[in-house]
Amino acid sequence: MDQRDEQEFAEYFAARRDAVRRTAYMLCGDWHKADDLAQTAFVALHRRWKKIRDRAATDAYVRTTLVRASIDESRRPWRREWQTETLPEPADDTPGLDDLVATREDLLAALKEVPPKQRAVLVMRFFEGLDVTSAAQALGCSEGNVKSQTARGLANLRQVLEREVETNG
């Protein structure tokens, strides 16, 4: 567009901005959506400004664009939401970050009290995710030894954790 067309569009926009926004509000019932619709209509008008021969028909063009934009927005999947007065609160089943951190700290502290061989087996099996055979190869011992150390380590870990719960709540 040349300078004269830009000036004409700017004058039209300044004169009709509020009226178009009000019309958009009447179509959708939400001022934020009305702003979006009005902007869409004015952008479309700006693109076609040079091609509009009858400037008296500009209001009709903007209204048509506004209605079509409103219909298009209502068809979009993310617009199929229901407005409510209150937000649904999520169920508070999951422990908070503070609970997870406390649990992790307690577990690490309890692991320090388990004998070293049992701790190594527990770490390999449950933190590294190794099966009995892989843990035995990694630790250089028999599979039976891994199984017995796992059982003893879990028993010691439970005992330490129960003691921690009884002491600190």
Side-chain angles (χ1 to χ4, degrees):
M1 282 198 307
D2 62 6
Q3 189 68 22
R4 186 177 58 84
D5 287 337
E6 285 288 345
Q7 182 63 31
E8 286 178 7
F9 178 79
E11 289 171 4
Y12 177 81
F13 175 77
R16 301 296 298 156
R17 167 183 56 209
D18 292 334
V20 170
R21 186 171 176 255
R22 281 191 300 270
T23 303
Y25 177 77
M26 301 279 244
L27 289 170
C28 67
D30 181 316
W31 284 110
H32 297 290
K33 290 178 185 176
D35 288 337
D36 292 344
L37 292 174
Q39 180 179 358
T40 301
F42 280 120
V43 167
L45 176 64
H46 187 267
R47 272 190 256 129
R48 307 276 303 171
W49 188 257
K50 283 178 25 177
K51 297 178 183 179
I52 296 175
R53 292 185 200 149
D54 183 13
R55 298 285 187 212
T58 305
D59 286 343
Y61 179 81
V62 171
R63 275 193 301 274
T64 302
T65 305
L66 203 57
V67 170
R68 288 181 181 165
S70 176
I71 292 169
D72 287 346
E73 281 295 309
S74 69
R75 289 180 180 162
R76 294 201 174 134
W78 61 82
R79 295 291 187 197
R80 294 182 191 142
E81 300 172 354
W82 296 99
Q83 295 181 1
T84 62
E85 292 296 320
T86 58
L87 294 174
E89 295 297 325
D92 198 21
D93 306 35
T94 59
L97 182 59
D98 54 343
D99 293 334
L100 293 174
V101 170
T103 303
R104 183 173 186 264
E105 287 177 0
D106 292 342
L107 180 62
L108 291 175
L111 270 175
K112 289 179 183 175
E113 293 188 35
V114 174
K117 180 77 173 178
Q118 294 172 6
R119 184 181 331 133
V121 170
L122 293 176
V123 168
M124 291 294 150
R125 293 286 319 279
F126 301 109
F127 290 99
E128 295 294 323
L130 299 179
D131 61 358
V132 173
T133 306
S134 301
Q137 289 174 348
L139 295 171
C141 61
S142 69
E143 290 181 21
N145 192 357
V146 169
K147 291 176 186 178
S148 65
Q149 292 296 324
T150 300
R152 289 183 191 133
L154 287 174
N156 283 333
L157 192 60
R158 280 188 200 101
Q159 191 176 33
V160 171
L161 286 172
E162 285 175 7
R163 189 176 63 227
E164 180 69 25
V165 168
E166 288 173 6
T167 305
N168 298 329

